[in-house]
Amino acid sequence: MEQTLSNDRQIAYHRQQINPEVIPDSKLTFAYDDIHTTGAEGAGSKATSSKYTKICTEISGEEHKVTTTVDTEGAKFEVSSSIKAGGRDDKLITKALKEINDDFHDAIKINLALGSTILEKLVALFEDKDDVIRELASRAVMQIARVERGRETLVENKIVDNVAKLFEDEVEAIRANSYDTLIYLADFQYGIDSVISFDIIQILVDRLILEPEEPILIQILTLLKILLEGERAPSIILSTQALSRLNDHLKSENKIIRELSALCLGSISYNERGKEYTIKAESIPPL
C-alpha cells in the first residue's frame, strides 16, 4: 500500500499510526564522537577531547586505537583495533585543519583542544611543503593566541621561535598569521617579555626593509610598537638600525605606516638615552 502513496500522504500515514514503529538505532559511523556536546564539562567535554586526539592522529599519521560497538542479535560488545595511516593524505589533513579552524572560533573548544597534543602537531605543520596546510596550521595557532590559556600555553611551550620562522614564508597570508599571533601574544606583559626574550625585536627591525607588502609592514610596526613597552626593549632597540629604518618609513605615502613609525620613535625617545640617539639619527625634522 505504501508504495502507491504520494510522499506527503505517506508521511501522514506514518504520523497517524496508533502504535508507531520505534525508530531503529543509527548504524552510521561518524568521523568524530562529539556530534552533540553538553558544554565544557561532562560527557560533552570528554567527547570533544576525544575528537581532538583523533584529529592529532589524522594530521600526523600516527597509529591509534579505535573502539567499535558491535550489535549482534541484541547483544552489544566492543571491539578494539589499531589503525595506522598508510602514507600521507593531504586531503584528510586539510579537512582536519579546516575542522579545527571552524571549532577554534569558540574559546571553550580551544581550551578543550589544548588538553591534547594539538599545538605540537600544528607547529610541526609549519614546515609542510603544502601552502594550504601551512596557512591553515598557522591560522589555527593564531586563534589559540586569542584566548588566555592559549597565550599561556604558547609561552610555556616556547612557540615564539617557531612562529617567527614564518616571517620569511613566501605566502603573504601565512606571514600575516604569524605577526597576528605575536600581536595577540603581546597583548599582556608576560607575553611581551616572552616575545622579547626570543630576540624578535632585531628580527622585526630587519623585516622593516625586507617585507614588500604594506599590510604586513603595518603589522610589523604594530608589533614593534607594542614590544617597545617592554622593560628590556629600549636598550635592545638602540643596538639595532631601527632609527634609520623608521626614518625612511616616515616618508611613506601610507599614512598608517607614517603614524606607526612616529609612535615607535616616540617610544624609543621616552628616556634620556633614547632622546640622545633619536636626535643623532635626525629623526626629529621629519616629524
Side-chain angles (χ1 to χ4, degrees):
M1 172 185 169
E2 293 184 37
Q3 288 78 1
T4 62
L5 296 176
S6 61
N7 189 50
D8 55 343
R9 293 186 66 187
Q10 185 173 346
I11 293 173
Y13 168 77
H14 280 280
R15 285 178 176 173
Q16 293 172 4
Q17 289 183 86
I18 299 176
N19 299 310
E21 296 179 4
V22 178
I23 299 175
D25 293 335
S26 174
K27 301 297 183 182
L28 295 176
T29 301
F30 294 99
Y32 306 113
D33 293 334
D34 64 333
I35 304 305
H36 302 288
T37 57
T38 58
E41 296 181 4
S45 63
K46 291 180 181 178
T48 306
S49 178
S50 173
K51 166 182 178 175
Y52 295 116
T53 301
K54 290 182 179 181
I55 287 181
C56 289
T57 303
E58 290 178 354
I59 63 180
S60 63
E62 296 174 348
E63 183 175 331
H64 66 290
K65 290 184 178 180
V66 176
T67 302
T68 306
T69 301
V70 180
D71 189 346
T72 305
E73 297 180 355
K76 293 185 179 181
F77 58 93
E78 294 185 345
V79 177
S80 297
S81 60
S82 294
I83 295 178
K84 187 173 183 179
R88 177 187 172 90
D89 188 340
D90 285 355
K91 290 184 178 180
L92 180 61
I93 294 173
T94 302
K95 177 181 178 296
L97 288 172
K98 288 180 178 179
E99 178 87 11
I100 291 171
N101 277 283
D102 287 342
D103 283 358
F104 280 9
H105 288 97
D106 185 342
I108 294 176
K109 291 185 178 180
I110 293 177
N111 291 335
L112 290 170
L114 290 174
S116 67
T117 58
I118 192 76
L119 182 58
E120 175 188 342
K121 306 303 181 185
L122 290 171
V123 171
L125 292 175
F126 285 178
E127 300 179 3
D128 198 275
K129 295 180 180 180
D130 189 286
D131 293 348
V132 175
I133 289 176
R134 288 201 317 280
E135 195 280 323
L136 288 169
S138 64
R139 194 196 315 168
V141 172
M142 181 265 289
Q143 294 199 76
I144 289 175
R146 298 176 67 177
V147 301
E148 184 176 1
R149 186 182 172 190
R151 290 189 287 269
E152 292 173 352
T153 304
L154 290 172
V155 171
E156 290 170 2
N157 289 274
K158 301 179 181 179
I159 305 298
V160 174
D161 194 39
N162 301 92
V163 174
K165 292 178 181 178
L166 296 178
F167 292 171
E168 300 179 4
D169 198 283
E170 60 184 14
V171 180
E172 181 179 347
I174 296 174
R175 298 200 303 276
N177 290 339
S178 66
Y179 287 114
D180 276 337
T181 299
L182 296 189
I183 288 171
Y184 287 126
L185 184 59
D187 202 24
F188 295 87
Q189 189 61 45
Y190 70 85
I192 293 177
D193 295 337
S194 175
V195 173
I196 291 175
S197 68
F198 284 89
D199 297 326
I200 297 299
I201 289 179
Q202 176 62 65
I203 297 174
L204 292 178
V205 172
D206 293 338
R207 298 303 302 175
L208 286 175
I209 58 172
L210 295 174
E211 178 54 56
E213 303 296 334
E214 283 195 349
I216 306 293
L217 182 58
I218 290 172
Q219 289 180 293
I220 295 172
L221 289 166
T222 300
L223 178 57
L224 185 60
K225 179 179 75 69
I226 296 172
L227 295 181
L228 286 172
E229 299 174 6
E231 186 177 351
R232 296 174 51 208
S235 60
I236 295 174
I237 197 74
L238 294 176
S239 64
T240 69
Q241 296 179 310
L243 289 169
S244 62
R245 291 171 185 176
L246 288 171
N247 286 349
D248 292 339
H249 287 305
L250 287 174
K251 304 171 186 177
S252 172
E253 295 182 0
N254 189 310
K255 66 177 183 180
I256 299 177
I257 291 176
R258 294 199 306 273
E259 178 184 357
L260 288 170
S261 299
L263 289 172
C264 287
L265 287 169
S267 297
I268 294 172
S269 62
Y270 180 76
N271 57 32
E272 185 175 349
R273 186 163 174 254
K275 288 182 175 66
E276 292 176 1
Y277 274 73
T278 304
I279 293 171
K280 288 180 182 179
E282 299 182 351
S283 300
I284 306 302
L287 293 173

